[in-house]
Amino acid sequence: MMAASLALPLALFAFASAMSWISTSDAADQEIQRTLDVAHEHALKVFETIDRSLAEVTEVVRGMSDAEIVARETDLHQRLRQVAVALPQVKSVWVFDASGRALVNSLVEPAPDVDFSDREYFRIHAEGDIGTYIGEVLTPRRPYLGARFFSVGRRRNKEDGGFAGVIQTSVLPEYFENFYGKIGREPGSFLALIRADGAVLAHFPVIDHEARFEPSGPLGRQIVANPLSGAMTIQSPADGIERRMRYQRLAEYPIYVSAGLETSAIRSRWISTMAQHLIFGVPATALLFGLLALAFRRTQRLQEEANRRIEAEDALRHGQRLEALGQLTGGVAHDFNNLLTVIRASVDMLRRTDLPEPRRQRYIDAISNTVNRAAKLTNQLLAFARRQTLKPEVFDACQNVRTLSEMITTLIGSRVEITAQVPDQTCLVNADAGQFETAIINMAVNARDAMDGVGRLTIAVRTVDKLPSTTGAPPSPHGHVAVSVTDTGVGIPPELFGRIFEPFYTTKEVGHGTGLGLSQVFGFAKQSGGEVTVTSEVGQGATFTLYLPRVVGGHNAQSRLIEDAPPADRTSASVLIVEDNAEVGKFAADTLTQLGCTCVLAENATHALEELAITPDRFDLVFTDVVMPGMSGIELAEEIRRQGLDLPIVLASGYSQVLSQQGSGGFELLQKPYSAEQLARVLHKAVRSRRLKRDQAPAS
């Protein structure tokens, strides 16, 4: 607002300034035009009067020879003097013979013996009859003195048309300059009488030297473009001052009358006008700014108080996050240390040479089971963090819940009555079916523990148009499928609602739960674009509801059929292994070598592409890690496809953010940690698919 209190008046002032400048410029142009009209009318009358006087003198001396003019010099001198006295703009009137000698003039008698044949106004008539000629400004020649003049003359012709001499009047520029001084009283006024070739005959303000507008200059080019009249802004060559000026031709004469104003004078008028606005605008703006500054101070104090409250709240949330992180870290450390303890003890026992074979096998099984538990723990954490790699497929949630109901009955015991409320219609969702089943089982197990193994468990499936308003999740265009698990247990206190989905948070006794079941449900729902909610009353049980986006249209529901893995028999396949971890790569190579495979190990994607560039047909399979320095495994697989190489590609990863967000891109994926048997099955499946594809291809 403070910025606006300055910006708005400034914007208004800038707009007013622009409009005022336009108005001032228009007013100046109108004033210049009025002055030009007066000066043009005056000059036209002056030159018409001079023209008539020349015509009168021409009639007086018509038919007279030079000798007759000299003989009547006294009378003619008086006549010419009367003409000069009657015209204040005329300094003198002359009659010259063909050689440039004065026969008679209005100044003195007798006329002095001076040769004027070198004057321009004489030479121009000697060359031919051009009518009335207006010459440049000249300085009087001795013995004549006085003001400078420009000539207006006509040719004297003989009876046969030959050149007899010149009749000329000397016109005073100061006559025009005095008149211009009377009509140009505004500061910065300018008037001038200019010949068509650019020679200045009269100039106001008065200058003491000759001046000329060059024909190739701005004014000359403007006159060529607009020969009758025009307007322009120009820097005068006479005094170097920039002016806004207009010009107009003087009837049939080769003369232009010009009027103008100095641009500095126009700016002064504009500044004077704007200063009057500032007298009122500046105090008003200052008052408004002062009031806003006062309001800003008060707002700033309120802001500081609000910031202090926000900082306190941030500190509280930070403490809560640290507490949650500490609990998460402690839970992970506790469970993994337990798993590592089993592995370490089993390894130590396996090192004993006197260990009986049954016990040796038991310890090997313990290590294998512990690794599986560790992988499951990692998957649960990834599910909570919404970083797990999902394999979404379209399936019927109703059908899956019906199948799960029988499994859950066995899982939670016979003392819990299970009721499944599943509609006959199909409720299609697009999600990871395995994770969906795990989420339902986790909610059922949580309900069993809340009922202490005795009670009623209800699993219901329904479709809803929108989510509860408290979730804040984005709506789905086709609504959601809601799967509810309701128990008759002890219920959940309201103060625990914000923590029940936290990993490793549990109210159960030590050894009766990890606290990761509900966190898996939470992560799966979020990553699938859905939501999970809970409602409960203490002593009345609880209801957990999983919402997943509904799918409609021409989708066929897919059943999760567990395909029997092919046996891990020996094969003669050639495998390119891409793994940046040397130990993991060596394990994969050793395992595949035991199966009869030929293995080539590359430590990164660049080396793998180099191997493929040598002889791509020597490999039957590419087995690559996903997370590697430089080019990732998915990028490597896409590059192989781009190059048109028909090779099965199997990805291996413990965790990849790209996989969790975008999936495996249609490539086979083997989750780490993997066993030798799992690796062999994936290898056999990929090689078999390739051979089957080749066998089905038509012969070329």
PDB file of all heavy atoms in Angstrom, residues 626-648:
ATOM      1  N   VAL A 626      19.456 -50.769 -11.327  1.00  0.00           N
ATOM      2  CA  VAL A 626      18.756 -49.531 -11.683  1.00  0.00           C
ATOM      3  C   VAL A 626      19.566 -48.308 -11.277  1.00  0.00           C
ATOM      4  O   VAL A 626      19.824 -47.402 -12.066  1.00  0.00           O
ATOM      5  CB  VAL A 626      17.353 -49.491 -11.045  1.00  0.00           C
ATOM      6  CG1 VAL A 626      16.697 -48.134 -11.268  1.00  0.00           C
ATOM      7  CG2 VAL A 626      16.482 -50.596 -11.626  1.00  0.00           C
ATOM      8  N   VAL A 627      19.991 -48.259 -10.016  1.00  0.00           N
ATOM      9  CA  VAL A 627      20.699 -47.083  -9.492  1.00  0.00           C
ATOM     10  C   VAL A 627      22.187 -47.266  -9.712  1.00  0.00           C
ATOM     11  O   VAL A 627      22.822 -48.116  -9.087  1.00  0.00           O
ATOM     12  CB  VAL A 627      20.386 -46.869  -7.997  1.00  0.00           C
ATOM     13  CG1 VAL A 627      21.116 -45.646  -7.481  1.00  0.00           C
ATOM     14  CG2 VAL A 627      18.875 -46.739  -7.784  1.00  0.00           C
ATOM     15  N   MET A 628      22.748 -46.468 -10.646  1.00  0.00           N
ATOM     16  CA  MET A 628      24.176 -46.505 -10.947  1.00  0.00           C
ATOM     17  C   MET A 628      24.654 -45.087 -11.221  1.00  0.00           C
ATOM     18  O   MET A 628      23.858 -44.225 -11.620  1.00  0.00           O
ATOM     19  CB  MET A 628      24.439 -47.380 -12.187  1.00  0.00           C
ATOM     20  CG  MET A 628      24.118 -48.845 -12.020  1.00  0.00           C
ATOM     21  SD  MET A 628      24.580 -49.807 -13.492  1.00  0.00           S
ATOM     22  CE  MET A 628      23.461 -49.118 -14.704  1.00  0.00           C
ATOM     23  N   PRO A 629      25.933 -44.820 -11.010  1.00  0.00           N
ATOM     24  CA  PRO A 629      26.467 -43.488 -11.349  1.00  0.00           C
ATOM     25  C   PRO A 629      26.318 -43.222 -12.841  1.00  0.00           C
ATOM     26  O   PRO A 629      26.474 -44.125 -13.670  1.00  0.00           O
ATOM     27  CB  PRO A 629      27.948 -43.575 -10.937  1.00  0.00           C
ATOM     28  CG  PRO A 629      28.017 -44.716  -9.979  1.00  0.00           C
ATOM     29  CD  PRO A 629      26.957 -45.675 -10.389  1.00  0.00           C
ATOM     30  N   GLY A 630      26.009 -41.995 -13.206  1.00  0.00           N
ATOM     31  CA  GLY A 630      25.839 -41.657 -14.609  1.00  0.00           C
ATOM     32  C   GLY A 630      24.487 -42.111 -15.117  1.00  0.00           C
ATOM     33  O   GLY A 630      23.443 -41.771 -14.566  1.00  0.00           O
ATOM     34  N   MET A 631      24.478 -42.908 -16.168  1.00  0.00           N
ATOM     35  CA  MET A 631      23.243 -43.404 -16.763  1.00  0.00           C
ATOM     36  C   MET A 631      22.652 -44.504 -15.890  1.00  0.00           C
ATOM     37  O   MET A 631      23.344 -45.439 -15.505  1.00  0.00           O
ATOM     38  CB  MET A 631      23.523 -43.932 -18.172  1.00  0.00           C
ATOM     39  CG  MET A 631      22.270 -44.387 -18.927  1.00  0.00           C
ATOM     40  SD  MET A 631      22.651 -45.102 -20.555  1.00  0.00           S
ATOM     41  CE  MET A 631      23.330 -43.684 -21.382  1.00  0.00           C
ATOM     42  N   SER A 632      21.361 -44.371 -15.578  1.00  0.00           N
ATOM     43  CA  SER A 632      20.706 -45.368 -14.738  1.00  0.00           C
ATOM     44  C   SER A 632      20.355 -46.605 -15.557  1.00  0.00           C
ATOM     45  O   SER A 632      20.453 -46.613 -16.794  1.00  0.00           O
ATOM     46  CB  SER A 632      19.442 -44.776 -14.115  1.00  0.00           C
ATOM     47  OG  SER A 632      18.465 -44.560 -15.111  1.00  0.00           O
ATOM     48  N   GLY A 633      19.902 -47.670 -14.847  1.00  0.00           N
ATOM     49  CA  GLY A 633      19.525 -48.898 -15.528  1.00  0.00           C
ATOM     50  C   GLY A 633      18.325 -48.711 -16.440  1.00  0.00           C
ATOM     51  O   GLY A 633      18.260 -49.295 -17.526  1.00  0.00           O
ATOM     52  N   ILE A 634      17.339 -47.901 -16.007  1.00  0.00           N
ATOM     53  CA  ILE A 634      16.168 -47.649 -16.861  1.00  0.00           C
ATOM     54  C   ILE A 634      16.588 -46.892 -18.114  1.00  0.00           C
ATOM     55  O   ILE A 634      16.127 -47.191 -19.224  1.00  0.00           O
ATOM     56  CB  ILE A 634      15.102 -46.877 -16.070  1.00  0.00           C
ATOM     57  CG1 ILE A 634      14.548 -47.750 -14.931  1.00  0.00           C
ATOM     58  CG2 ILE A 634      13.967 -46.436 -16.976  1.00  0.00           C
ATOM     59  CD1 ILE A 634      13.483 -47.073 -14.106  1.00  0.00           C
ATOM     60  N   GLU A 635      17.467 -45.895 -17.975  1.00  0.00           N
ATOM     61  CA  GLU A 635      17.957 -45.157 -19.142  1.00  0.00           C
ATOM     62  C   GLU A 635      18.741 -46.076 -20.076  1.00  0.00           C
ATOM     63  O   GLU A 635      18.648 -45.950 -21.307  1.00  0.00           O
ATOM     64  CB  GLU A 635      18.820 -43.983 -18.690  1.00  0.00           C
ATOM     65  CG  GLU A 635      18.044 -42.893 -17.963  1.00  0.00           C
ATOM     66  CD  GLU A 635      18.939 -41.836 -17.356  1.00  0.00           C
ATOM     67  OE1 GLU A 635      20.134 -42.137 -17.122  1.00  0.00           O
ATOM     68  OE2 GLU A 635      18.459 -40.720 -17.111  1.00  0.00           O
ATOM     69  N   LEU A 636      19.513 -46.997 -19.504  1.00  0.00           N
ATOM     70  CA  LEU A 636      20.243 -47.963 -20.330  1.00  0.00           C
ATOM     71  C   LEU A 636      19.264 -48.838 -21.105  1.00  0.00           C
ATOM     72  O   LEU A 636      19.443 -49.081 -22.314  1.00  0.00           O
ATOM     73  CB  LEU A 636      21.146 -48.829 -19.441  1.00  0.00           C
ATOM     74  CG  LEU A 636      21.826 -50.028 -20.131  1.00  0.00           C
ATOM     75  CD1 LEU A 636      22.735 -49.565 -21.256  1.00  0.00           C
ATOM     76  CD2 LEU A 636      22.593 -50.859 -19.107  1.00  0.00           C
ATOM     77  N   ALA A 637      18.221 -49.325 -20.433  1.00  0.00           N
ATOM     78  CA  ALA A 637      17.236 -50.174 -21.107  1.00  0.00           C
ATOM     79  C   ALA A 637      16.545 -49.414 -22.235  1.00  0.00           C
ATOM     80  O   ALA A 637      16.329 -49.948 -23.335  1.00  0.00           O
ATOM     81  CB  ALA A 637      16.213 -50.678 -20.086  1.00  0.00           C
ATOM     82  N   GLU A 638      16.181 -48.160 -21.993  1.00  0.00           N
ATOM     83  CA  GLU A 638      15.532 -47.361 -23.035  1.00  0.00           C
ATOM     84  C   GLU A 638      16.478 -47.103 -24.202  1.00  0.00           C
ATOM     85  O   GLU A 638      16.050 -47.084 -25.362  1.00  0.00           O
ATOM     86  CB  GLU A 638      15.038 -46.041 -22.435  1.00  0.00           C
ATOM     87  CG  GLU A 638      13.894 -46.223 -21.441  1.00  0.00           C
ATOM     88  CD  GLU A 638      13.535 -44.926 -20.742  1.00  0.00           C
ATOM     89  OE1 GLU A 638      14.317 -43.962 -20.856  1.00  0.00           O
ATOM     90  OE2 GLU A 638      12.484 -44.879 -20.078  1.00  0.00           O
ATOM     91  N   GLU A 639      17.774 -46.904 -23.928  1.00  0.00           N
ATOM     92  CA  GLU A 639      18.745 -46.693 -24.999  1.00  0.00           C
ATOM     93  C   GLU A 639      18.900 -47.963 -25.840  1.00  0.00           C
ATOM     94  O   GLU A 639      19.013 -47.898 -27.074  1.00  0.00           O
ATOM     95  CB  GLU A 639      20.091 -46.275 -24.401  1.00  0.00           C
ATOM     96  CG  GLU A 639      21.216 -46.090 -25.414  1.00  0.00           C
ATOM     97  CD  GLU A 639      20.934 -44.970 -26.397  1.00  0.00           C
ATOM     98  OE1 GLU A 639      20.103 -44.094 -26.092  1.00  0.00           O
ATOM     99  OE2 GLU A 639      21.552 -44.966 -27.472  1.00  0.00           O
ATOM    100  N   ILE A 640      18.893 -49.129 -25.196  1.00  0.00           N
ATOM    101  CA  ILE A 640      18.971 -50.397 -25.939  1.00  0.00           C
ATOM    102  C   ILE A 640      17.755 -50.550 -26.849  1.00  0.00           C
ATOM    103  O   ILE A 640      17.871 -50.956 -28.006  1.00  0.00           O
ATOM    104  CB  ILE A 640      19.093 -51.577 -24.956  1.00  0.00           C
ATOM    105  CG1 ILE A 640      20.442 -51.510 -24.217  1.00  0.00           C
ATOM    106  CG2 ILE A 640      18.950 -52.903 -25.682  1.00  0.00           C
ATOM    107  CD1 ILE A 640      20.595 -52.544 -23.126  1.00  0.00           C
ATOM    108  N   ARG A 641      16.580 -50.211 -26.314  1.00  0.00           N
ATOM    109  CA  ARG A 641      15.376 -50.272 -27.146  1.00  0.00           C
ATOM    110  C   ARG A 641      15.456 -49.260 -28.291  1.00  0.00           C
ATOM    111  O   ARG A 641      15.033 -49.542 -29.420  1.00  0.00           O
ATOM    112  CB  ARG A 641      14.140 -49.988 -26.290  1.00  0.00           C
ATOM    113  CG  ARG A 641      13.793 -51.112 -25.330  1.00  0.00           C
ATOM    114  CD  ARG A 641      13.216 -52.307 -26.085  1.00  0.00           C
ATOM    115  NE  ARG A 641      12.869 -53.386 -25.159  1.00  0.00           N
ATOM    116  CZ  ARG A 641      13.649 -54.397 -24.875  1.00  0.00           C
ATOM    117  NH1 ARG A 641      14.866 -54.471 -25.422  1.00  0.00           N
ATOM    118  NH2 ARG A 641      13.258 -55.341 -24.044  1.00  0.00           N
ATOM    119  N   ARG A 642      15.981 -48.081 -28.018  1.00  0.00           N
ATOM    120  CA  ARG A 642      16.091 -47.049 -29.062  1.00  0.00           C
ATOM    121  C   ARG A 642      17.010 -47.498 -30.193  1.00  0.00           C
ATOM    122  O   ARG A 642      16.787 -47.168 -31.357  1.00  0.00           O
ATOM    123  CB  ARG A 642      16.603 -45.746 -28.451  1.00  0.00           C
ATOM    124  CG  ARG A 642      16.510 -44.538 -29.388  1.00  0.00           C
ATOM    125  CD  ARG A 642      17.168 -43.322 -28.771  1.00  0.00           C
ATOM    126  NE  ARG A 642      18.610 -43.517 -28.650  1.00  0.00           N
ATOM    127  CZ  ARG A 642      19.478 -43.360 -29.660  1.00  0.00           C
ATOM    128  NH1 ARG A 642      19.045 -42.998 -30.848  1.00  0.00           N
ATOM    129  NH2 ARG A 642      20.755 -43.546 -29.482  1.00  0.00           N
ATOM    130  N   GLN A 643      18.050 -48.252 -29.856  1.00  0.00           N
ATOM    131  CA  GLN A 643      18.976 -48.750 -30.869  1.00  0.00           C
ATOM    132  C   GLN A 643      18.420 -49.938 -31.629  1.00  0.00           C
ATOM    133  O   GLN A 643      19.058 -50.427 -32.567  1.00  0.00           O
ATOM    134  CB  GLN A 643      20.307 -49.132 -30.216  1.00  0.00           C
ATOM    135  CG  GLN A 643      21.074 -47.939 -29.640  1.00  0.00           C
ATOM    136  CD  GLN A 643      22.408 -48.329 -29.040  1.00  0.00           C
ATOM    137  OE1 GLN A 643      22.828 -49.481 -29.143  1.00  0.00           O
ATOM    138  NE2 GLN A 643      23.074 -47.374 -28.407  1.00  0.00           N
ATOM    139  N   GLY A 644      17.227 -50.413 -31.233  1.00  0.00           N
ATOM    140  CA  GLY A 644      16.581 -51.497 -31.962  1.00  0.00           C
ATOM    141  C   GLY A 644      17.119 -52.872 -31.656  1.00  0.00           C
ATOM    142  O   GLY A 644      16.925 -53.804 -32.450  1.00  0.00           O
ATOM    143  N   LEU A 645      17.793 -53.043 -30.514  1.00  0.00           N
ATOM    144  CA  LEU A 645      18.347 -54.352 -30.153  1.00  0.00           C
ATOM    145  C   LEU A 645      17.262 -55.209 -29.500  1.00  0.00           C
ATOM    146  O   LEU A 645      16.633 -54.792 -28.518  1.00  0.00           O
ATOM    147  CB  LEU A 645      19.532 -54.178 -29.195  1.00  0.00           C
ATOM    148  CG  LEU A 645      20.702 -53.336 -29.736  1.00  0.00           C
ATOM    149  CD1 LEU A 645      21.802 -53.223 -28.704  1.00  0.00           C
ATOM    150  CD2 LEU A 645      21.244 -53.945 -31.024  1.00  0.00           C
ATOM    151  N   ASP A 646      17.030 -56.387 -30.033  1.00  0.00           N
ATOM    152  CA  ASP A 646      15.984 -57.285 -29.528  1.00  0.00           C
ATOM    153  C   ASP A 646      16.574 -58.153 -28.426  1.00  0.00           C
ATOM    154  O   ASP A 646      16.921 -59.322 -28.636  1.00  0.00           O
ATOM    155  CB  ASP A 646      15.445 -58.135 -30.673  1.00  0.00           C
ATOM    156  CG  ASP A 646      14.286 -59.010 -30.218  1.00  0.00           C
ATOM    157  OD1 ASP A 646      13.684 -58.687 -29.178  1.00  0.00           O
ATOM    158  OD2 ASP A 646      13.995 -60.011 -30.901  1.00  0.00           O
ATOM    159  N   LEU A 647      16.720 -57.568 -27.236  1.00  0.00           N
ATOM    160  CA  LEU A 647      17.296 -58.269 -26.092  1.00  0.00           C
ATOM    161  C   LEU A 647      16.356 -58.168 -24.897  1.00  0.00           C
ATOM    162  O   LEU A 647      15.874 -57.074 -24.575  1.00  0.00           O
ATOM    163  CB  LEU A 647      18.653 -57.653 -25.711  1.00  0.00           C
ATOM    164  CG  LEU A 647      19.850 -57.988 -26.599  1.00  0.00           C
ATOM    165  CD1 LEU A 647      21.056 -57.175 -26.161  1.00  0.00           C
ATOM    166  CD2 LEU A 647      20.167 -59.470 -26.516  1.00  0.00           C
ATOM    167  N   PRO A 648      16.069 -59.271 -24.206  1.00  0.00           N
ATOM    168  CA  PRO A 648      15.328 -59.176 -22.942  1.00  0.00           C
ATOM    169  C   PRO A 648      16.162 -58.391 -21.917  1.00  0.00           C
ATOM    170  O   PRO A 648      17.385 -58.544 -21.856  1.00  0.00           O
ATOM    171  CB  PRO A 648      15.136 -60.634 -22.517  1.00  0.00           C
ATOM    172  CG  PRO A 648      15.393 -61.441 -23.746  1.00  0.00           C
ATOM    173  CD  PRO A 648      16.370 -60.665 -24.560  1.00  0.00           C
TER     174      PRO A 648
END
